[in-house]
Amino acid sequence: MSTTAPYSSPESVATVHLSRLLKAPVVAGSGESIGRVDDLIVRLSGGDAYPPVTGVVVGVGGRDVFVSAEHIGEFGGQRIVLSVNKVDLRSFERREGEVLLKADILGHRLIDVAAAELVRAYDVELDRTGEGWVLARLDTRPPARLFGLLKSSGGHASRDWKAFEPLVGHGQSSAVRGISVRLRGLKPAQIADLLEEADKHERGEILDQVHGDPELEADVFEELDSDQSSRLLNDMPDSEVAALLGRMRADDAADSIMELRQSRRRRVLDLMPAGQRTKVVTLMGFNPDSAGGLMNVDFVSCPMESTAAQALSVIAGAQVLQPEALLKVHVLDAGQLVGVASVIALLQAQPATAVAELMDADPVRVAPDADLTDIALLMADYNLYAVPVVDEDDRVLGVVTVDDVLEDIIPEDWRRREPAPRPVREPAPASTNSGENADGPAQL
């Protein structure tokens, strides 16, 4: 090791950029040069705190060693000065929950939660707080280029760390964090879009997190396009596929079963819950582009002699049905469809009013072999959100809802259009308890 003049502390800094700190010299308290900064370590958690810097990976004589943040005396953009004169020269080994900023964050993509898209981190900003240094912000702006060469962009377009969800790709760290609160806040369709954009490793971590919430996982798979869903299901064991399809809407589960290799279908069906299996097998008997293939076999109904209050109680108890299927109550007499009552009419009526007085006694209905175009035209002509599917005896088989029709009727090239920009709302600023930098990570 070479020796330099003893360190003279410069004026303290409140913010440090990772890009300027990498390869910076690490100096012992005595002034002796120990090595250079190879990486910084932070610890992520499932909470909403800014990740604290817990140590430095220092390159010493061809090996990486760990230096605890507790042993850092001065931390700046030019060099790191330790409060000790010696370090443990055992090779660094990552522990559970540890994330390396250079290896895991810098140059990698993260989820921009507000925009629900994947963005790349080009730099990391660290702030000093009263408790130590924390990961505060990310710069996701690509560096400017001049004649093909990197050129300083003249400032950092940094954003609060809490606006992002990292995709670290390290199994032990992911397991410790569990499913992120940020990821839970995204809509299933947004997570499905992320999966379709992600590469193999990114997709694996998103799926690992979503898998921790079985209901969310089912909702996400309902939103995936058929090709992506098929690829993901083919990588899962039969038992997991059966459990997943058992939580999905029966019509979506039937579509997914048909996307499996024929040799797997029977095995997966046999592992599914009996009730769901019956629904799925029923739907598989219809042309997928017909009313029978599009319908959901779950719907709400009540006897003709019911009151408005009784019909509303049926809706209130249908916790597992999709909202679109709850907009109408199907009124039955001896099992036959005799009318449809809208939830609005039921809510506006007196509780004791007979459903027979509120229902449409001649509701629009279709046979199971009705095609997609006919259903769409009926919905447009009569301003319908759902259409009952009945057999030749007027018994309700299921309901086709507007979301299923739209999903099948929108041209494929329209689906790939870039969506209109959504308003981006940053996380609410949260001050830190630091006397040196009161704003801390809340700076934007």
Side-chain angles (χ1 to χ4, degrees), residues 211 217-218 221 229-248 253 256-261 264-265 267-269 271-273 276:
H211 191 63
E217 182 182 34
F221 269 80
S229 174
S230 178
R231 285 194 292 270
L232 296 179
L233 292 175
N234 284 335
D235 292 335
M236 298 166 61
D238 291 346
S239 58
E240 287 189 15
V241 173
L244 172 62
L245 300 186
R247 293 187 296 268
M248 290 171 60
S256 295
I257 283 283
M258 297 304 294
E259 292 163 8
L260 296 175
R261 296 187 302 273
R264 294 190 70 192
R265 293 176 191 170
R267 298 199 306 269
V268 171
L269 281 169
L271 292 170
M272 290 175 63
Q276 180 78 332

Side-chain angles (χ1 to χ4, degrees), residues 213-395:
D213 185 336
E215 295 303 322
L216 175 60
E217 182 182 34
D219 292 341
V220 169
F221 269 80
E222 289 174 356
E223 299 292 343
L224 289 170
D225 67 38
S226 59
D227 290 341
Q228 184 67 62
S229 174
S230 178
R231 285 194 292 270
L232 296 179
L233 292 175
N234 284 335
D235 292 335
M236 298 166 61
D238 291 346
S239 58
E240 287 189 15
V241 173
L244 172 62
L245 300 186
R247 293 187 296 268
M248 290 171 60
R249 287 168 36 182
D251 54 336
D252 290 314
D255 292 341
S256 295
I257 283 283
M258 297 304 294
E259 292 163 8
L260 296 175
R261 296 187 302 273
Q262 190 166 1
S263 59
R264 294 190 70 192
R265 293 176 191 170
R266 175 49 57 188
R267 298 199 306 269
V268 171
L269 281 169
D270 288 344
L271 292 170
M272 290 175 63
Q276 180 78 332
R277 179 171 63 245
T278 299
K279 296 174 185 178
V280 168
V281 170
T282 299
L283 291 168
M284 289 172 64
F286 296 104
N287 183 323
D289 294 323
S290 69
L294 291 170
M295 71 181 180
N296 193 328
V297 294
D298 294 319
F299 57 92
V300 286
S301 64
C302 69
M304 188 174 181
E305 59 271 18
S306 301
T307 64
Q310 291 170 330
L312 287 173
S313 70
V314 173
I315 295 174
Q319 300 291 330
V320 298
L321 269 63
Q322 57 174 320
E324 294 84 355
L326 301 177
L327 298 176
K328 304 278 187 179
V329 175
H330 301 81
V331 185
L332 307 180
D333 185 17
Q336 291 183 311
L337 181 67
V338 294
V340 171
S342 76
V343 68
I344 301 300
L346 295 171
L347 288 169
Q348 292 177 334
Q350 293 298 315
T353 303
V355 169
E357 298 178 20
L358 304 171
M359 71 182 188
D360 175 1
D362 185 24
V364 174
R365 68 200 84 181
V366 295
D369 58 355
D371 66 24
L372 181 62
T373 302
D374 288 340
I375 301 168
L377 289 173
L378 285 171
M379 284 185 160
D381 287 344
Y382 292 94
N383 297 318
L384 300 173
Y385 291 97
V387 176
V389 182
V390 298
D391 63 14
E392 57 187 14
D393 296 321
D394 240 10
R395 297 181 184 275

Side-chain angles (χ1 to χ4, degrees), residues 24-104:
V26 178
V27 180
S30 62
E32 185 179 19
S33 177
I34 292 176
R36 292 189 176 274
V37 177
D38 276 353
D39 216 325
L40 292 184
I41 307 165
V42 299
R43 181 170 292 275
L44 303 186
S45 67
D48 199 35
Y50 291 98
V53 175
T54 58
V56 183
V57 180
V58 182
V60 179
R63 72 169 66 181
D64 286 337
V65 302
F66 170 77
V67 176
S68 171
E70 297 176 354
H71 295 154
I72 297 176
E74 293 289 344
F75 189 100
Q78 301 301 317
R79 57 180 173 174
I80 289 178
V81 179
L82 306 182
S83 58
V84 295
N85 293 331
K86 295 181 179 180
V87 298
D88 188 338
L89 293 179
R90 288 179 296 179
S91 295
F92 165 71
E93 293 184 5
R94 188 199 299 233
R95 295 174 294 182
E96 285 189 356
E98 290 183 338
V99 171
L100 306 181
L101 293 186
K102 175 187 173 185
D104 300 329

